[in-house]
Structures are given as structure tokens and as C-alpha cells.
Amino acid sequence: MPGFNERLGAVLAQRRRDDLYRQRLTLESSQGPRVRVDGREYLNFCSNDYLGLAAHPQVVAALRAGAERYGVGSGASHLVCGHSTPHRELEEALAELTGRPRALLFSSGYAANTGTLTTLLQSGDQVFQDRLNHASLLDGGLHSGARFRRFAHNNVTDLEHKIIAAPPDSAKLVVVDGVFSMDGDTAPLADLAALCQQHNAWLMVDDAHGIGVMGEGGAGSVTAAGLDSAQAPVLMATLGKALGCAGAFVAGDELLIESLIQGARNYIYTTAMPPAVAAAGLAAVRLLATEAWRREHLQQLIGRFRAGAEALGLPLMDSDSAIQPLQIGDAGRAMAFSAALRQAGFLVGAIRPPTVPAGTSRLRITLTAAHTDAEVDALLSVLADVAGEQL
Ligand SMILES: *Cc1c(COP(=O)(O)O)cnc(C)c1O
């Protein structure tokens, strides 16, 4: 019987052989279009700080002021005595942003998704998930006790077949990413909502990559699709991407939110996020309204990048979001491409299995409102050089 040392060692060795070993960078600067790693400055095209708010002076000032007033640790879970004024104010602002009666903060998106799915679902229910959904949605669905079915990516017809094949009297939940995190494409939310209404199913949307960026006022992809809380009853989004902070929330009707407060173990049995982080989140939400130019500039950069990449014949994917992956295929080649870009002073992540299906490794380029036209042009020019050698 081999011990843990042998087993763990064998797994890591296999990962190295498969070009799937992952290593962390250590940033020596704040998040932004230029970051410092090992004493060298890089142009950064791999963060999810889509609006450039992670180091925004007003967000930093709100964090500082929040810490001075409320201290650092929240000291307890929300239900004991860790819930404070900044949490309440941020929840109200997020409910208003998403046009829903209420919102509930979680400490992370992972916790929000697993907590929501395990609270909503029980054995005998049916949960239908797009096969490219985020890992936290898949994990929550698998742990929920419901019958778990995956449908082909963005394929409403496949979903319909699976719904029709399910027991008609079972409770049904359809779960999708609003914007898919590794592909950058958007879910056909209006069609999904119509199908759900037809079959009396609920729709849950994870808008981690749409909130702040898409829709009127940055309200996200659900608003952009024109859906209200009757059509998409469960809306989850994170504060750690376009909003530049940390944590996540679920927005919906009173009944949903109260059920999560009373029942979600990931909400109940965890320390509340630091109140100062909630204060920073509130500042970020306000910037969505006062600095709308960030969304517009980002859209313009997306168009600029796609036009340039298309002219160069680069393997663009079908995305109009800030996530602009280049499909490479082989994990080793994606790694080599990313390493060559790094050598040239550009950080672009190589995304490999198991994050994406085998044979679809890619460079995940992300654009942010903090990038300039010139920086995007510099990326295109280095991509052209490296593609000449690598592709
Ligand atoms: C990042 C992400 C999450 C997890 O959010 P965290 O706050 O980072 O835990 C969930 N869903 C999607 C689609 C994500 O991209």
C-alpha cells in the first residue's frame, strides 16, 4: 500500500510530463496594466481587473477609510455579529445595480455558487449545466444531491432535449455562466430564459465576467439580455473581477435571499468579509456610474484588438467580451507561446486542462480599461512576431 508521499509525488511528476504543472507568479506591484515580477516590468494581459479598478485611488481610499472606522477583521460570521454597515450598504447598492429586490454578500464567488446550489437543490431535483460552466458551479451541482446533467456548450436544443427527458414533476434548475470565463463568449440568455419559462424551470446565471462591463450602467449580461428576476431568478456575480475588490453576491427576490441567509452553509459558517473590503466594493460600484468611460474605452480596445488580430490571421475565438483567447490546442505549445511572450515583456496566461477540455489549450488574453491603444498595439505586434516562430 503506497503512502501519501509516493502518491502525491507520482501525480506531480505526471503533471510535469504532461505540461500541466502550474507555477505562481509573485507580483511586486499593484494589479494594473504594468506589473512588476522578479524586478522586471511586464505589460499585463492576464488579469480580470477589466475596468482597472483594483488600484483605483477612490477604491483604495475607501478601503483605508473603512479600515480606520471599522478595523480590519469582521470578527464573526454575518449571523453572529460580523455584519456591519458597509456590508448592508454594499448589498443595497448591488440590489439597485442589478434591479433586484435584494442582494447577499458572500466571501468568494466559489462560496456563493456552491452555497446557493446546495441550498436550492435537493435529491430528486434536476440541475442542468453548460459543460463549460465554472468549476464552482459544477462542484456545487455535484454536491447538491440533485441529478446532474451537462448540456453541450450554448446549445439550447440539447438542453431542451435533456429537460424533456427529465421527470416532468421534478424541480429543475438551469445554470450557466453569463460570459464564459475561458472562452469569452456569452450565453444565449434570452433563449435560455424562454425555455426555462416553458418548462417551469429556474435559470441561474453566474455573471462573474459580465458584471460591471456589460449592460446598462454595468449591470451585467442578465440586464443586457433584458431579463428580470422572474425570468432569471438567481443572479450571482463577483466583486473580484471588474469591480476590483474581493467577494461575491447573489441577487434575487426576498424569498431566495432569506433562504440563503437561513440555509447556505457557506454563508452561515464563515467569517464575514472585512467591512473595509465592503466599503471599497461600494466605491467601485459607484465608479460604474461616475466613470462610464471605462466601459466605453474597454469596448473600443476589444474592437481594436480583434480587428488587429484578424488582420494578422491569429486564431481568435468567438468572443466580444474582454476575454480574447487565442486557441492553440496543444498544452506544450501554449506554454511555449506564453513563455516567448513573457521573454518579450508580456504576461499572457496559458490555460490548459483541466481548466479547459484536452486539446483546446489557449492563450487567455484579457483587456482592461486601464490599457492604452498603444499597449494593445504593442501586444498585437509581439503576437505577430511570436506567432511567426511558434504557430
Ligand atoms: C472567478 C469566478 C468565480 C469564483 O469567484 P471568486 O470570487 O474568485 O471565488 C465563479 N464563477 C466564475 C464564472 C468565475 O470566473
Side-chain angles (χ1 to χ4, degrees), residues 13-81:
Q14 185 64 44
R15 287 215 150 208
R16 279 188 199 278
R17 283 195 296 277
D18 293 342
D19 289 316
L20 299 180
Y21 205 85
R22 295 160 185 230
Q23 261 156 332
R24 301 173 298 172
L25 297 176
T26 303
L27 266 60
E28 295 150 2
S29 64
S30 65
Q31 193 56 257
R34 286 162 195 271
V35 292
R36 184 163 285 278
V37 178
D38 284 335
R40 179 174 176 192
E41 187 179 86
Y42 291 89
L43 267 172
N44 177 14
F45 288 98
C46 57
S47 92
N48 302 318
D49 181 24
Y50 302 125
L51 295 177
L53 298 185
H56 190 291
Q58 287 179 34
V59 178
V60 174
L63 184 85
R64 184 179 292 125
E68 268 155 21
R69 180 144 179 206
Y70 295 96
V72 175
S74 65
S77 65
H78 284 278
L79 292 186
V80 175
C81 61

